[in-house]
Amino acid sequence: MYFAGLRPAEAAGLRRQDCELPATGWGLITVKKTRPQANKRYTDSGETFDDRGLKHREGDIVRPVPIPPELVALLREHLDAFGTAEDGRLFVTGGGQSFSGSAYAQVWKRARGLALTPDQVESPLAARPYDLRHAAVSLWLNAGVHAPEAAERAGHGVDVMLRVYAKCIDGQRDVANQRIEDALVLSATTVERLRSIPGPLSASGLTCANAAQVIPRIFREQCRVAAFGGIWLHPADLTQEVFSQVRG
């Protein structure tokens, strides 16, 4: 739930055939089913758990979620130690049944007591297993993952995700300012390199302010000169040539 941002019911429905777990590098989970817990009277099967499609999605829609090497290793170790249920589900009891919400809530409570300070235990920090999913999405957004990509991985609409997680990206003004400043410095450095290259760009009065107008005009002029000399020079070739000098 923390590494992949899964909902508890999605984790309960996860099967071996839904997982790509390479020996090294990133893996992939394809979330196809959920297995929510409900009163037997309200399930189609008459059981406490019932297989259903993804939340807010049509029945045949799936969601691919890239997973980092840490989770790949954990899942491989889990499979080696415990295997799967008959239908391929990863997380089941010794009898092949799904864990009840109360069972893993008790384990979570004990884990908090071992991992957190007494003050933290009394706080709302990671109070529920579901908070692992919130922590995952918050981490993605604060790491700079674009909102549409984070929403796709989490199974949210972008508007819903930004509303739910708005607080986790508050206070990012200084970070945003620094990124903009870095981009401006990079732009100025690129222009200076272009001006230092012998030829029409250096003689054009190129600046950051007029680069968008000057560079395309120079490219057109260079193409015409090449054509008069009996050589056809495609603008893309010229672009690649100039910017290879800039990078150098």
Side-chain angles (χ1 to χ4, degrees):
M1 291 170 62
Y2 176 69
F3 285 114
L6 299 187
R7 298 177 175 91
E10 293 171 345
L14 188 63
R15 303 171 301 169
R16 177 63 184 91
Q17 55 266 41
D18 303 329
C19 304
E20 296 179 20
L21 306 173
T24 60
W26 282 68
L28 184 73
I29 286 174
T30 302
V31 186
K32 298 179 178 179
K33 295 182 177 182
T34 64
R35 195 170 172 82
Q37 182 178 0
N39 190 294
K40 295 181 179 180
R41 292 178 296 176
Y42 304 115
T43 62
D44 295 334
S45 63
E47 302 294 334
T48 304
F49 293 89
D50 208 6
D51 288 336
R52 299 181 184 178
L54 302 187
K55 188 176 181 181
H56 306 310
R57 299 291 189 273
E58 298 294 333
D60 57 348
I61 299 298
V62 300
R63 187 174 88 245
V65 182
I67 57 174
E70 292 92 335
L71 181 55
V72 173
L74 287 171
L75 292 178
R76 288 171 65 95
E77 291 173 6
H78 175 84
L79 287 166
D80 289 342
F82 302 106
T84 69
E86 291 184 1
D87 62 357
R89 282 180 292 123
L90 271 63
F91 305 114
V92 293
T93 66
Q97 302 300 312
S98 295
F99 289 102
S100 68
S102 59
Y104 62 72
Q106 292 175 9
V107 174
W108 184 252
K109 182 178 180 180
R110 291 199 296 270
R112 289 184 79 246
L114 293 172
L116 305 179
T117 66
D119 287 343
Q120 289 172 332
V121 170
E122 296 300 319
S123 75
L125 177 65
R128 310 164 300 159
Y130 200 100
D131 291 335
L132 290 170
R133 170 175 162 82
H134 292 318
V137 179
S138 299
L139 174 69
W140 298 343
L141 292 173
N142 281 312
V145 176
H146 293 171
E149 174 66 18
E152 177 68 21
R153 296 185 183 210
H156 274 307
V158 176
D159 56 337
V160 173
M161 188 192 66
L162 291 177
R163 184 169 66 249
V164 172
Y165 295 96
K167 290 184 179 179
C168 87
I169 53 178
D170 279 349
Q172 297 291 307
R173 179 175 295 176
D174 290 343
V175 175
N177 288 349
Q178 187 60 53
R179 289 178 178 171
I180 293 170
E181 182 178 342
D182 291 344
L184 291 173
V185 170
L186 179 61
S187 297
T189 302
T190 300
V191 167
E192 288 304 315
R193 287 191 175 183
L194 284 170
R195 293 180 64 180
S196 69
I197 299 172
L201 285 174
S202 59
S204 64
L206 181 69
T207 67
C208 285
N210 66 16
Q213 290 76 38
V214 170
I215 293 177
R217 175 174 58 79
I218 296 298
F219 283 174
R220 288 194 298 271
E221 291 176 358
Q222 291 292 91
C223 288
R224 283 197 295 269
V225 170
F228 282 129
I231 303 171
W232 174 248
L233 182 62
H234 193 278
D237 298 328
L238 182 59
T239 304
Q240 183 176 4
E241 178 182 350
V242 170
F243 280 94
S244 66
Q245 295 183 58
V246 174
R247 288 194 297 270

